[in-house]
Amino acid sequence: MALPRDPRQKMVNIMYLVLTAMLALNVSAEILNAFTIVNNSIDHSNLSITGKNNSVYSAFDKQLAADPGRVGPLKAKADAVKSEAQAAYDSLEALKQLIVKESGGWEEVNGEKEVKEKANLDVPTRIMENQKRGPALEALLKKFRTNLLNNVDPKEKEAFNKALPLQIEDRYKGEDGKDKSWTTYHFNMVPVVAAVTIIGKLQNDVKNSEAMVAEDLLKQIHANDIPFDKMQSFVSMDSRNLQEGQTLTAHIAIGAYSSTVNPDIVVNGQTLKVENGIATYTMPVSGLGEKKLTGTISLKKPNGEVINADIDEAYTVGASATSISADKMNVLYIGVQNPISITAAGVPAEKVEASVTGGSIAKKAAGQFLVTVSAPGKANINVSADGKTLSSKEFRVKFIPDPVLKVGFNKSGYMKASEFKVQGGLRADLENFEFEGVKYDVVGYRIGIDAKGKDYAEGDANSAYFPSTVKATIASLKPGDQVYFDNVKVKGPDGRVRDMGNISFKLN
C-alpha cells in the first residue's frame, strides 16, 4: 500500500511528469532537418516515377494504333488506373498543403522548399484526428488499393496483394503495446515535417503501386504471343482432284497469324480479301492433268519489317470417282433413320445428291444423308451431281434385332427375392446395337408365381408394369419361389409387335 503524500510532494510529482512529457516532445533540430531531407528526396522520386508511368501510358498509345482489337480492353484498364492514382495523389497533396498552411506555410532554404514550423505538433493532430480527415484518407487509399487489384489478372491477384507498396493496416501496435488506429499511429502528436514526409511517402506508394499494375497490363498485351521469325504458307483446297468445268476453291493463310493483324495475300496475280488471317480464292478449272496454284503472302511486323512466303500448291484435274459408306454398317435398318455419308472426288459436297430404291432419303448436310426403308431385302443408293449419275451401291435391309427381356438388370435365371420385389415390371433392352436411343416397349405378357406354401398366382399385363392382381403376391416373395413370364409381346420403333416367348426367374 502506498504511503500518503503531502500536497507539496504531489505538486513535485506532477511537475516531473510534465517535464518528462516536454522532454519526450522536444525533437532535436537535427531530426527535424533529417525529415526535411527525406521529404525532399521523396518529392524528387515521385517526379521520376511519374515520368516512368507516363512512358508506360505512351507505350499503350503506340500499341493501340498497331493492334486496337487486342490492346483496347487493356488500355481502358490502364486509363482507369491512371485516373484513380492521380485522384489519390491529389487528395494526399491537398492534405499536405493544408497542414503546411495551417502551421505557417513554406519557406525556401538553400534553394529547397521547407516547412517553416517543422516542430508544430498541434496541426497534424487537429486536422487528421480531430477533423476526421485521417479516417477519410484511410478509406480513400483502401478503395484505391482494391480498385488496383481488380485490374490485375485474377490468377496474380494474391501475389499483387502482397507486393503492392501501398499497404494499409486496420490496426498498429504502439510503443505501449496497445492497438492504435491508422490515423493515430501516423499523425497523432507528430511534428508537421514528419506528417508532410509521411504523406509524401504515401504519395510515393501510390505512384509505385500504379506503376506495378500499369506495367503488368502492358505486359499482358503480348503475354500469350508466340514469337516467330519464319513463315510458311498454308493452303486448304476443297478438293485437289477436280473435273473439267468444276470450280477450285482454296483457303490461304500463313502457318501462324493474328486474328487482328492480317497479311497481304496475292494468288495468280489477284489480291485477296483477308479476314482473321485467312483469304479465300476461287476459279473455274479446265484441262486435264496436274496444275499449280502460285502466289505470295506478305506480313508487316510492328517494327515495319516485311516477311514473305511463297504459295506453291499442286492440284489435279481429272475424271470423277465416288465413295459411298454406311456410317453404322453396310446395312439399313427398318424403323430408324440410317445416316449415310457420300463423297464424290472432284465434286463439292454440297452439290452431291442421292436417291434410294425401296425407301426414302433426306439430305441432312453437305455429304450427309438420312435413309428410311420399310421392307426387308435390298436397296440401292444412287449418287448424282449436276444432273449426272455418278455411282450406285447396294445395301441389305433388315429389321432391328430383338431386345433382351429383363427384370431390373437381370435376365432369365437366378435373382434375389429382395431385388425382384422392388422392381416395377418387365423390361425389353436392345443390347449391342449400333444406333443409340432405339427403344422397345413391353405391350403385354402373362405372369405366373409359384410361391412355396401358397396357391399358384397369375395375371395378365397389357403394359410393362406388373398387373395389380399379383402385386401383393410379389411383395411377399421369398427365396425358393419361382416367377414365370409367358407370351411376352414387345413393340419396336418400326411399329411391329413381336412375340418374345417365355422367361422365368428362380428367387434366392
Side-chain angles (χ1 to χ4, degrees):
M1 180 175 179
L3 295 173
R5 297 177 180 145
D6 59 25
R8 186 173 180 278
Q9 182 63 43
K10 290 182 179 179
M11 180 61 70
V12 170
N13 289 344
I14 293 173
M15 291 179 65
Y16 176 76
L17 291 173
V18 172
L19 178 60
T20 301
M22 291 178 66
L23 289 173
L25 297 175
N26 186 20
V27 183
S28 68
E30 288 78 6
I31 294 176
L32 294 176
N33 288 333
F35 270 113
T36 299
I37 293 171
V38 172
N39 182 62
N40 289 338
S41 176
I42 290 173
D43 286 343
H44 290 307
S45 174
N46 288 343
L47 290 175
S48 176
I49 297 171
T50 299
K52 176 184 174 183
N53 289 348
N54 287 338
S55 297
V56 172
Y57 296 127
S58 295
F60 266 106
D61 293 333
K62 293 179 181 178
Q63 295 282 355
L64 182 68
D67 195 349
R70 181 190 300 183
V71 179
L74 292 171
K75 185 179 185 302
K77 289 185 176 182
D79 289 343
V81 168
K82 179 181 181 181
S83 176
E84 292 171 3
Q86 188 61 50
Y89 187 94
D90 291 345
S91 297
L92 287 163
E93 185 64 25
L95 277 175
K96 180 195 294 186
Q97 297 299 332
L98 177 63
I99 290 172
V100 173
K101 179 181 177 182
E102 292 290 320
S103 64
W106 299 94
E107 63 179 355
E108 186 172 326
V109 179
N110 298 325
E112 294 283 356
K113 188 170 64 172
E114 295 185 7
V115 179
K116 284 184 180 181
E117 299 292 335
K118 297 183 179 68
N120 189 309
L121 304 174
D122 173 65
V123 172
T125 303
R126 172 163 49 85
I127 292 176
M128 300 304 287
E129 283 218 278
N130 298 345
Q131 296 180 9
K132 305 298 182 184
R133 294 178 186 263
L137 176 62
E138 178 187 5
L140 182 147
L141 293 177
K142 283 184 176 179
K143 181 179 179 182
F144 167 67
R145 193 174 187 281
T146 298
N147 290 343
L148 280 183
L149 292 174
N150 287 339
N151 283 291
V152 304
D153 187 332
K155 297 178 182 178
E156 303 294 332
K157 192 170 185 177
E158 183 60 31
F160 270 85
N161 184 45
K162 295 177 181 178
L164 280 182
L166 183 63
Q167 299 284 342
I168 307 296
E169 303 292 340
D170 291 327
R171 290 290 168 182
Y172 294 81
K173 286 287 185 183
E175 292 182 359
D176 56 1
K178 295 181 179 180
D179 287 344
K180 293 186 177 182
S181 68
W182 183 84
T183 301
T184 301
Y185 183 82
H186 288 92
F187 297 104
N188 184 55
M189 297 302 290
V190 299
V192 167
V193 68
V196 168
T197 304
I198 290 170
I199 292 175
K201 172 60 169 59
L202 291 172
Q203 289 178 309
N204 188 264
D205 290 343
V206 167
K207 287 288 183 183
N208 276 311
S209 298
E210 174 193 6
M212 282 185 63
V213 176
E215 288 175 355
D216 180 71
L217 290 170
L218 185 63
K219 289 178 183 178
Q220 288 183 36
I221 295 175
H222 299 293
N224 297 317
D225 282 3
I226 301 176
F228 64 92
D229 54 10
K230 293 182 179 180
M231 184 176 67
Q232 183 176 351
S233 63
F234 172 79
V235 179
S236 173
M237 297 185 186
D238 284 0
S239 176
R240 293 181 183 271
N241 297 285
L242 302 137
Q243 296 182 59
E244 190 171 7
Q246 291 183 333
T247 299
L248 178 148
T249 299
H251 305 282
I252 301 114
I254 56 176
Y257 66 90
S258 168
S259 61
T260 55
V261 179
N262 290 313
D264 295 322
I265 299 178
V266 178
V267 176
N268 289 354
Q270 178 183 344
T271 300
L272 307 181
K273 182 180 179 180
V274 182
E275 293 182 356
N276 296 326
I278 299 175
T280 299
Y281 174 73
T282 62
M283 75 169 189
V285 296
S286 61
L288 302 180
E290 185 174 301
K291 309 292 180 179
K292 278 197 173 183
L293 199 66
T294 60
T296 59
I297 299 178
S298 303
L299 183 65
K300 183 181 288 186
K301 292 184 177 180
N303 62 4
E305 179 187 354
V306 177
I307 53 177
N308 299 293
D310 293 330
I311 298 170
D312 190 2
E313 293 291 324
Y315 63 94
T316 301
V317 179
S320 172
T322 61
S323 172
I324 306 173
S325 63
D327 286 354
K328 299 299 180 180
M329 279 193 318
N330 191 22
V331 175
L332 302 175
Y333 287 101
I334 299 169
V336 295
Q337 291 183 317
N338 299 265
I340 297 290
S341 295
I342 301 176
T343 60
V347 179
E350 61 271 12
K351 289 189 176 182
V352 174
E353 300 295 338
S355 61
V356 63
T357 60
S360 62
I361 187 168
K363 194 169 188 177
K364 181 181 177 183
Q368 302 293 321
F369 298 83
L370 295 175
V371 178
T372 304
V373 288
S374 56
K378 295 180 180 180
N380 286 313
I381 294 180
N382 304 304
V383 181
S384 62
D386 295 326
K388 297 179 181 179
T389 299
L390 302 178
S391 183
S392 178
K393 189 167 185 177
E394 185 179 86
F395 285 80
R396 293 171 294 159
V397 180
K398 293 184 176 183
F399 284 112
I400 296 171
D402 287 341
V404 177
L405 299 177
K406 298 178 182 178
V407 174
F409 292 102
N410 296 273
K411 303 175 185 178
S412 179
Y414 287 95
M415 183 175 180
K416 290 184 179 181
S418 59
E419 184 179 350
F420 190 98
K421 289 192 291 184
V422 298
Q423 304 304 320
L426 186 63
R427 293 170 50 186
D429 290 349
L430 187 58
E431 296 183 338
N432 302 318
F433 188 56
E434 293 81 1
F435 290 78
E436 295 181 0
V438 178
K439 296 174 61 179
Y440 274 90
D441 295 321
V442 177
V443 296
Y445 58 87
R446 184 170 184 79
I447 183 172
I449 302 173
D450 185 7
K452 291 182 179 181
K454 296 182 180 180
D455 293 335
Y456 187 81
E458 58 184 357
D460 292 315
N462 55 11
S463 70
Y465 295 102
F466 294 143
S468 58
T469 55
V470 297
K471 284 187 176 179
T473 305
I474 291 175
S476 63
L477 287 172
K478 296 178 181 179
D481 296 344
Q482 291 189 348
V483 182
Y484 304 92
F485 293 91
D486 301 324
N487 195 27
V488 181
K489 297 183 183 300
V490 298
K491 186 177 182 180
D494 54 7
R496 191 166 63 97
V497 176
R498 306 185 187 194
D499 188 349
M500 296 297 297
N502 310 322
I503 63 169
S504 63
F505 293 88
K506 186 172 180 63
L507 306 183
N508 55 24

